[in-house]
Amino acid sequence: RRVGQYDVLGALGSGAEATVFEGHQPNLDRPVALKMLSHALVHKESFADRFGREARIIAQLDHEHIVKVYDCVEDWGTQFIVMEKLSGTLLEDIVLDKSRTLAWGATRRILKEVCLGLAHSHAQGLLHRDIKPSNVFLTQDRRVKILDFGIALEQGDGEQDPNSLVGTPYYMAPERILGKSADGRSDLYSVGIMAYEM
């Protein structure tokens, strides 16, 4: 099966909003990941708009610690984001594995690389707003890649409606929960919660 010019090789994982497939780009002979918006959400304007925004935002953020976006495609009656194919594991899987503990040196390096990626995002005026272990990927050589900029926001914009907050409350800074204007420190608060869990 194909999505646009991309060969679809199989599913890598799925969630409530999207499914990620392993793919191949024949003309450049490179592996890719294809993130597909759930068909159930295609006609829900807020989800479709957010999905498209994610592709545009990540495409602007060229940094070694942020996942790369190559393309955005409409096919199979939905939208796809074409990204670099990553091999490794989510930080969440390591944090939840109670049989092992992250060494201090590894913890410090991971947090440093998350902060370097966020510093680049913040320099472009964008807040991630959903930093947590399930949005931090560790490649096989243990380099950090920040994932999922679907709810990113320009710095200084308020949440506008505290009753319809997006993100993960456990990791949210107080000013975000109150619907106030936020800046890069809100993302750093989330990094602090993640550091505690690590």
Side-chain angles (χ1 to χ4, degrees), residues 132-175:
K132 57 185 177 181
S134 61
N135 283 336
V136 174
F137 194 92
L138 298 181
T139 63
Q140 287 183 329
D141 58 357
R142 293 319 221 195
R143 289 182 302 114
V144 161
K145 293 282 187 175
I146 300 173
L147 311 176
D148 199 347
F149 280 76
I151 62 169
L153 188 73
E154 290 189 12
Q155 293 194 59
D157 285 353
E159 300 286 346
Q160 296 173 356
D161 183 3
N163 297 315
S164 61
L165 289 175
V166 290
T168 308
Y170 181 80
Y171 297 91
M172 279 186 189
E175 63 274 13

Coordinates of all heavy atoms in Angstrom, one line a residue, residues 132-175:
K132 N 6.6 15.8 28.4 CA 6.4 14.7 29.3 C 7.2 13.5 28.8 O 7.6 13.5 27.6 CB 4.9 14.4 29.5 CG 4.2 14.0 28.2 CD 2.7 13.8 28.3 CE 2.0 13.6 27.0 NZ 0.6 13.4 27.2
P133 N 7.4 12.4 29.6 CA 8.2 11.3 29.1 C 7.7 10.6 27.8 O 8.5 10.1 27.0 CB 8.2 10.4 30.3 CG 8.1 11.3 31.5 CD 7.1 12.3 31.0
S134 N 6.4 10.7 27.6 CA 5.9 10.0 26.4 C 6.1 10.9 25.1 O 5.9 10.4 24.0 CB 4.4 9.7 26.5 OG 3.7 10.9 26.7
N135 N 6.6 12.1 25.3 CA 6.9 13.0 24.1 C 8.4 13.2 24.0 O 8.8 14.1 23.3 CB 6.2 14.3 24.2 CG 4.7 14.2 23.9 OD1 4.3 13.3 23.1 ND2 3.9 15.1 24.4
V136 N 9.2 12.4 24.7 CA 10.6 12.4 24.6 C 11.1 11.0 24.1 O 10.8 10.0 24.8 CB 11.3 12.8 25.9 CG1 12.8 12.7 25.8 CG2 10.9 14.2 26.3
F137 N 11.8 11.0 23.0 CA 12.3 9.7 22.4 C 13.8 9.7 22.6 O 14.5 10.6 22.3 CB 11.9 9.7 20.9 CG 12.0 8.3 20.3 CD1 10.9 7.4 20.3 CD2 13.2 7.9 19.8 CE1 11.0 6.2 19.8 CE2 13.3 6.6 19.2 CZ 12.2 5.8 19.2
L138 N 14.3 8.5 22.9 CA 15.7 8.2 23.0 C 16.1 7.3 21.8 O 15.6 6.2 21.8 CB 16.1 7.6 24.3 CG 15.8 8.4 25.6 CD1 16.3 7.7 26.8 CD2 16.5 9.8 25.5
T139 N 16.9 7.8 20.9 CA 17.3 6.9 19.8 C 18.3 5.8 20.3 O 18.7 5.8 21.5 CB 18.1 7.8 18.8 OG1 19.3 8.3 19.3 CG2 17.2 8.9 18.3
Q140 N 18.6 4.9 19.4 CA 19.4 3.8 19.8 C 20.8 4.2 20.3 O 21.4 3.5 21.2 CB 19.6 2.8 18.6 CG 18.3 2.0 18.3 CD 18.5 1.0 17.2 OE1 19.3 1.2 16.3 NE2 17.8 -0.1 17.3
D141 N 21.3 5.4 19.8 CA 22.5 5.9 20.4 C 22.3 6.9 21.5 O 23.2 7.7 21.8 CB 23.4 6.5 19.3 CG 22.7 7.6 18.5 OD1 21.5 7.9 18.8 OD2 23.3 8.2 17.6
R142 N 21.1 6.8 22.0 CA 20.7 7.6 23.2 C 20.6 9.1 23.1 O 20.7 9.9 24.0 CB 21.6 7.3 24.4 CG 21.6 5.9 24.9 CD 20.2 5.4 25.0 NE 19.8 4.6 26.2 CZ 18.8 3.9 26.3 NH1 17.9 3.8 25.3 NH2 18.5 3.2 27.4
R143 N 20.4 9.6 21.8 CA 20.2 11.0 21.6 C 18.7 11.3 21.8 O 17.8 10.5 21.4 CB 20.6 11.4 20.2 CG 22.1 11.4 20.0 CD 22.5 11.8 18.6 NE 21.9 11.0 17.6 CZ 21.0 11.4 16.7 NH1 20.6 12.6 16.7 NH2 20.5 10.5 15.8
V144 N 18.4 12.4 22.3 CA 17.0 12.9 22.6 C 16.4 13.4 21.3 O 17.0 14.2 20.6 CB 17.0 13.9 23.7 CG1 15.7 14.7 23.7 CG2 17.2 13.3 25.1
K145 N 15.1 13.1 21.1 CA 14.3 13.7 20.1 C 13.0 14.1 20.7 O 12.2 13.2 21.3 CB 14.0 12.8 18.9 CG 15.2 12.4 18.1 CD 15.6 13.5 17.1 CE 16.7 13.1 16.2 NZ 17.0 14.1 15.2
I146 N 12.6 15.4 20.7 CA 11.3 15.8 21.3 C 10.2 15.6 20.2 O 10.4 16.0 19.0 CB 11.4 17.3 21.6 CG1 12.5 17.6 22.7 CG2 10.0 17.8 22.2 CD1 12.7 19.0 23.0
L147 N 9.1 15.0 20.6 CA 8.0 14.7 19.7 C 6.8 15.6 20.0 O 6.7 16.2 21.0 CB 7.6 13.2 19.9 CG 8.7 12.1 19.9 CD1 8.1 10.8 20.2 CD2 9.4 12.1 18.6
D148 N 5.9 15.5 19.1 CA 4.5 16.0 19.3 C 4.4 17.5 19.6 O 4.2 17.8 20.8 CB 3.8 15.1 20.3 CG 2.2 15.3 20.2 OD1 1.8 16.2 19.5 OD2 1.5 14.5 20.8
F149 N 4.4 18.3 18.6 CA 4.2 19.7 18.8 C 2.8 20.1 18.4 O 2.5 21.3 18.0 CB 5.2 20.5 17.9 CG 6.6 20.6 18.5 CD1 7.4 19.6 18.5 CD2 7.0 21.8 19.1 CE1 8.7 19.7 19.1 CE2 8.3 21.9 19.7 CZ 9.1 20.9 19.6
G150 N 1.9 19.2 18.5 CA 0.5 19.4 18.1 C -0.3 20.5 18.8 O -1.2 21.1 18.3
I151 N 0.2 20.8 20.1 CA -0.5 21.9 20.8 C 0.4 23.0 21.1 O 0.2 23.8 22.0 CB -1.2 21.4 22.1 CG1 -0.2 20.8 23.1 CG2 -2.3 20.4 21.8 CD1 -0.7 20.5 24.5
A152 N 1.5 23.2 20.3 CA 2.4 24.3 20.5 C 1.7 25.6 20.3 O 0.7 25.7 19.6 CB 3.6 24.1 19.5
L153 N 2.3 26.6 21.0 CA 1.6 27.9 21.0 C 2.7 29.0 20.9 O 3.8 28.8 21.5 CB 0.8 28.1 22.2 CG -0.2 29.3 22.4 CD1 -1.3 29.2 21.4 CD2 -0.6 29.5 23.8
E154 N 2.4 30.1 20.3 CA 3.3 31.2 20.3 C 3.4 31.8 21.7 O 2.4 32.0 22.4 CB 2.9 32.3 19.3 CG 3.1 31.9 17.9 CD 2.8 33.0 16.9 OE1 2.8 34.2 17.4 OE2 2.7 32.7 15.7
Q155 N 4.6 32.1 22.1 CA 4.9 32.7 23.5 C 4.1 34.0 23.6 O 4.0 34.8 22.8 CB 6.3 33.0 23.7 CG 7.2 31.7 23.7 CD 8.6 31.9 24.3 OE1 8.7 32.4 25.4 NE2 9.6 31.6 23.5
G156 N 3.5 34.1 24.8 CA 2.7 35.3 25.2 C 1.2 35.2 24.9 O 0.4 35.9 25.5
D157 N 0.8 34.2 24.1 CA -0.6 33.9 23.9 C -1.2 33.2 25.1 O -0.6 32.2 25.6 CB -0.9 33.1 22.7 CG -0.7 33.8 21.4 OD1 -0.5 35.1 21.5 OD2 -0.7 33.2 20.3
G158 N -2.3 33.7 25.6 CA -2.9 33.0 26.8 C -3.7 31.8 26.4 O -3.9 31.5 25.2
E159 N -4.0 31.0 27.3 CA -4.8 29.8 27.0 C -6.2 30.1 26.6 O -6.9 29.3 26.0 CB -4.9 28.9 28.3 CG -3.5 28.4 28.8 CD -2.9 27.3 27.9 OE1 -3.6 26.7 27.1 OE2 -1.7 27.1 28.1
Q160 N -6.7 31.3 26.9 CA -7.9 31.9 26.5 C -9.1 31.3 27.3 O -10.0 32.0 27.8 CB -8.1 31.8 25.0 CG -7.1 32.6 24.3 CD -7.1 32.4 22.8 OE1 -7.8 31.6 22.3 NE2 -6.3 33.2 22.1
D161 N -9.3 30.0 27.3 CA -10.4 29.3 28.0 C -9.9 28.3 28.9 O -9.6 27.1 28.5 CB -11.4 28.7 27.0 CG -12.6 28.2 27.7 OD1 -12.7 28.3 28.9 OD2 -13.4 27.6 27.0
P162 N -9.8 28.6 30.2 CA -9.3 27.6 31.2 C -10.1 26.4 31.3 O -9.7 25.3 31.8 CB -9.3 28.4 32.5 CG -9.3 29.8 32.2 CD -10.1 29.9 30.9
N163 N -11.4 26.4 30.8 CA -12.2 25.3 30.8 C -12.0 24.3 29.7 O -12.6 23.2 29.7 CB -13.7 25.7 30.8 CG -14.1 26.5 32.0 OD1 -13.7 26.1 33.2 ND2 -14.7 27.6 31.8
S164 N -11.2 24.7 28.7 CA -10.9 23.8 27.6 C -9.4 23.7 27.4 O -8.9 23.8 26.3 CB -11.6 24.3 26.3 OG -11.1 25.6 26.0
L165 N -8.6 23.5 28.5 CA -7.2 23.4 28.4 C -6.8 22.1 27.6 O -7.4 21.1 27.7 CB -6.6 23.3 29.8 CG -6.6 24.6 30.7 CD1 -6.1 24.3 32.1 CD2 -5.8 25.6 30.0
V166 N -5.7 22.3 26.9 CA -5.1 21.1 26.2 C -3.7 20.8 26.8 O -3.1 21.7 27.3 CB -5.0 21.3 24.7 CG1 -6.3 21.4 24.0 CG2 -4.2 22.6 24.4
G167 N -3.4 19.6 26.8 CA -2.1 19.2 27.4 C -2.4 18.1 28.5 O -3.4 17.5 28.6
T168 N -1.4 17.9 29.3 CA -1.4 16.8 30.4 C -1.3 17.5 31.7 O -0.3 18.0 32.1 CB -0.3 15.8 30.2 OG1 -0.3 15.4 28.8 CG2 -0.4 14.7 31.1
P169 N -2.4 17.6 32.5 CA -2.5 18.4 33.7 C -1.4 18.2 34.7 O -0.8 19.1 35.3 CB -3.8 18.1 34.3 CG -4.7 17.7 33.1 CD -3.8 17.1 32.1
Y170 N -1.0 16.9 34.8 CA 0.1 16.6 35.8 C 1.4 17.3 35.6 O 2.1 17.6 36.5 CB 0.4 15.0 35.8 CG 1.4 14.6 36.7 CD1 1.1 14.3 38.1 CD2 2.7 14.3 36.3 CE1 2.1 13.9 39.0 CE2 3.7 13.9 37.2 CZ 3.4 13.7 38.5 OH 4.3 13.2 39.4
Y171 N 1.7 17.7 34.3 CA 2.9 18.3 33.9 C 2.8 19.8 33.7 O 3.7 20.5 33.4 CB 3.5 17.7 32.6 CG 3.8 16.2 32.8 CD1 2.9 15.2 32.5 CD2 5.1 15.8 33.3 CE1 3.2 13.9 32.7 CE2 5.4 14.5 33.5 CZ 4.5 13.5 33.2 OH 4.8 12.2 33.3
M172 N 1.5 20.3 33.8 CA 1.3 21.7 33.5 C 1.8 22.7 34.6 O 1.5 22.4 35.8 CB -0.2 22.0 33.3 CG -0.7 21.6 32.0 SD -2.5 22.1 31.9 CE -2.9 21.3 30.3
A173 N 2.3 23.8 34.2 CA 2.7 24.9 35.2 C 1.4 25.5 35.6 O 0.4 25.6 34.9 CB 3.6 25.9 34.5
P174 N 1.4 26.1 36.9 CA 0.2 26.7 37.4 C -0.4 27.8 36.5 O -1.6 27.9 36.4 CB 0.7 27.3 38.8 CG 1.9 26.4 39.1 CD 2.5 26.0 37.8
E175 N 0.5 28.6 35.9 CA -0.1 29.7 35.1 C -0.9 29.2 33.9 O -1.8 29.8 33.4 CB 1.0 30.7 34.6 CG 2.1 30.1 33.7 CD 3.2 29.4 34.5 OE1 3.1 29.2 35.7 OE2 4.3 29.1 33.8

